[in-house]
Every structure is written in structure tokens, then in C-alpha cells.
Amino acid sequence: MKTKIAIQGVKASFHEEAAFKYFGEEIETIECESFKKTCDMLKQGKADYVVMAIENSIAGSILPNYNLLRDYRFHIIGEVHLNIQQNLIVYPGVKLGDVKFVESHPIAIRQCDEFLSDFPDWTIKEGMDTAACAKNIADNQLKNTAAIASAMAAKLYGLEILEKRIETNKKNATRFLILSNEVVEQKNANKASLSFQTGNAVGSLANVLQCFAEQHVNLSKIQSMPVVGKRNEYDFYVDVEWKKQSDYDAAIRKVLKHTVNFNIMGEYIKNEKV
């Protein structure tokens, strides 16, 4: 039985690419039209894991996914970084002058702002997924529409790459989390994702951060999200990294005294960036 991985989007999407990179090619990907659907698949046991994008080096954090992490309380068992290379993809034979519409995921569109600004007459349309926009061109033989998607999508759906590497920043990378319903023990874990709330007193967040600093635990990411229905209250999501397990354990003991609703979302092995 192949391991089943729920992904947002269709085959040849960046989520599928990330799944292959983490798990290898001998997996079955389950296509889902939304991130919420991927979580439902995992919750219902129809998928073994979810691969979920959480941040992009250009577009920033994908905030709605933090809400899903909070609501579903899955365990983060790993991460994977993917270099995102965007291409302008068309139906075979279509030339640049034929293009009137460009369709892609909103984040992919933002990643290619500079290139798109050279073509002010094009109508930009937002789609659910980069690869789905490519598939739509192939399925409907669209001769006036281009998609922004991966070379993998062009190959899978029999399309042509009109312009390669149209992303503005060539160091464009997305970080994906690997989610599981069960805790998977990670030997040699050196990174953790945590969530907590602090009081409103002056310096309350600084006190927490100081606990990490004193134990030589590196804070690699911090994200705040409003607590639903509570004014001026925030959930803090942090990623921390350590070299010595004992430093991390001591930091957690200290942090517990300064926080409420503290939650270890996952302890896993840091994935070195691509």
C-alpha cells in the first residue's frame, strides 16, 4: 500500500513536488481543492499525511494555514523547502502576441509582478492552483490564455513553456510542513514549532524570548495571530532550533512559567534550505 499524501491542488502542483521531495516518488497524492479539504482527509483517515505550504520567501506567511493548524491540532513531523521556479505556459503553438489572459494562484502572480508589469494589456485572473490553471488550458485548448506554473505542470499536461523563470526573485522558496494525525517520534530532532499566549503586561513577550536566548535556543520564526473573539489577545507561533537537546528542554521549562495555552505543535529535523 502506497503512503497517501493529501495536497492542495492537482498533480504537478508545487505541493506534489514538495511531497515527492520529502517522501520520495512511491506515494499516492490525493488532490484537494483547498487546504481545509487536505485537513479533513487527514482527520478522516483517508490520507496518511498532509503537505501544507506555510510561508514563501517573497509573499510571506500563509496566514489562513495557521488557523488550520490551530483548529485541527495536527502534529508537525517535518518540513521541506522547495525552490519555486515559475514559467509562462501556453497551449502548443500559441505565441506571446496571442495571450490576453494570464491565470495562476494569487501568490504565484505576486511572485511574477515584475514580468507581468511589462504586459499591461493582459487580464490577470486568480485561480485556485498553479497546476490546475495549466490543466485548464490543456483541457479546454485555450489559445488566448497563459498559466504561471512549474515546468513539471507543462510536461504533464502537454503544454509549452513560452518564457522560463519569470519569478522576480530567483531565490524564491516556499517552506512546507508535513502534518500527521499521530505523533511521530523524531530521533535527533533539532527544531520545534510552538504556540502560546502571553499576558498583556509590559515585556511579557520579551520575557518568553529571553528564556530561549538564555539557553542558546535560536528563534527562527515568529508569527502572531489574533485570538478569535478576544480583543488585544494574540496567539504566538514560533519556530526554534537548537544544537543541544538539554538547552531546548531547559528553555521549555522556563517558557512554561511565562505563557498560557502552551502547545508543542511538533519536534522534527530541520530541513536545510535548497
Side-chain angles (χ1 to χ4, degrees):
M1 279 269 289
K2 286 187 174 180
T3 303
K4 294 188 173 81
I5 315 295
I7 59 167
Q8 188 268 322
V10 300
K11 295 200 179 304
S13 65
F14 290 112
H15 275 83
E16 186 177 63
E17 222 174 298
F20 287 152
K21 187 172 179 186
Y22 188 85
F23 291 100
E25 306 251 335
E26 293 302 307
I27 57 172
E28 182 186 332
T29 49
I30 302 169
E31 301 173 326
C32 301
E33 68 270 17
S34 68
F35 285 113
K36 186 179 186 307
K37 188 72 192 280
T38 66
C39 292
D40 289 337
M41 286 297 202
L42 182 56
K43 192 176 182 184
Q44 292 161 18
K46 293 176 182 173
D48 300 307
Y49 302 99
V50 165
V51 173
M52 178 186 281
I54 198 68
E55 64 181 300
N56 174 266
S57 57
I58 296 171
S61 294
I62 302 167
L63 297 179
N65 288 357
Y66 279 95
N67 290 331
L68 291 173
L69 291 175
R70 180 198 65 210
D71 293 345
Y72 283 86
R73 299 185 80 82
F74 293 136
H75 304 283
I76 301 169
I77 63 153
E79 64 176 0
V80 60
H81 294 271
L82 199 64
N83 256 340
I84 305 296
Q85 300 181 359
Q86 303 287 14
N87 306 277
L88 194 71
I89 293 172
V90 293
Y91 195 77
V94 169
K95 303 281 184 284
L96 210 54
D98 303 326
V99 175
K100 291 184 172 55
F101 303 95
V102 174
E103 202 168 355
S104 195
H105 188 276
I107 287 179
I109 291 166
R110 274 163 64 193
Q111 290 166 358
C112 303
D113 276 346
E114 207 168 279
F115 174 83
L116 294 172
S117 68
D118 291 337
F119 302 93
D121 293 340
W122 287 354
T123 300
I124 311 298
K125 297 163 77 177
E126 293 186 354
M128 283 300 291
D129 172 52
T130 54
C133 294
K135 185 176 186 291
N136 181 45
I137 289 173
D139 290 349
N140 296 297
Q141 299 183 15
L142 301 177
K143 309 282 176 64
N144 64 353
T145 303
I148 296 171
S150 68
M152 190 171 151
K155 189 177 176 185
L156 183 67
Y157 299 116
L159 302 174
E160 288 179 357
I161 296 177
L162 206 54
E163 296 279 345
K164 285 184 179 176
R165 302 297 305 270
I166 64 169
E167 69 276 7
T168 304
N169 187 328
K170 302 309 173 199
K171 289 184 176 166
N172 178 14
T174 295
R175 176 177 171 237
F176 299 82
L177 299 177
I178 314 300
L179 307 179
S180 168
N181 232 337
E182 312 294 325
V183 176
V184 178
E185 197 65 43
Q186 298 282 351
K187 281 185 178 153
N188 306 320
N190 58 0
K191 186 169 183 178
S193 294
L194 316 169
S195 69
F196 55 82
Q197 294 163 19
T198 65
N200 276 331
V202 173
S204 53
L205 178 59
N207 289 336
V208 175
L209 303 185
Q210 187 63 28
C211 295
F212 292 122
E214 285 169 358
Q215 296 301 143
H216 313 290
V217 172
N218 182 41
L219 189 79
S220 59
K221 161 111 182 166
I222 183 165
Q223 180 70 52
S224 65
M225 295 284 288
V227 175
V228 179
K230 293 190 177 178
R231 205 168 149 213
N232 297 331
E233 287 192 31
Y234 293 88
D235 282 313
F236 292 100
Y237 296 88
V238 303
D239 292 336
V240 295
E241 301 167 11
W242 62 90
K243 289 195 166 63
K244 284 170 63 181
Q245 182 71 32
S246 56
D247 286 341
Y248 167 70
D249 293 340
I252 295 300
R253 283 195 297 274
K254 286 183 176 181
V255 165
L256 282 168
K257 295 171 186 167
H258 298 279
T259 58
V260 291
N261 295 332
F262 181 87
N263 179 31
I264 296 175
M265 300 159 72
E267 297 171 344
Y268 47 95
I269 296 166
K270 177 186 176 184
N271 174 249
E272 296 303 328
K273 290 194 179 180
V274 287

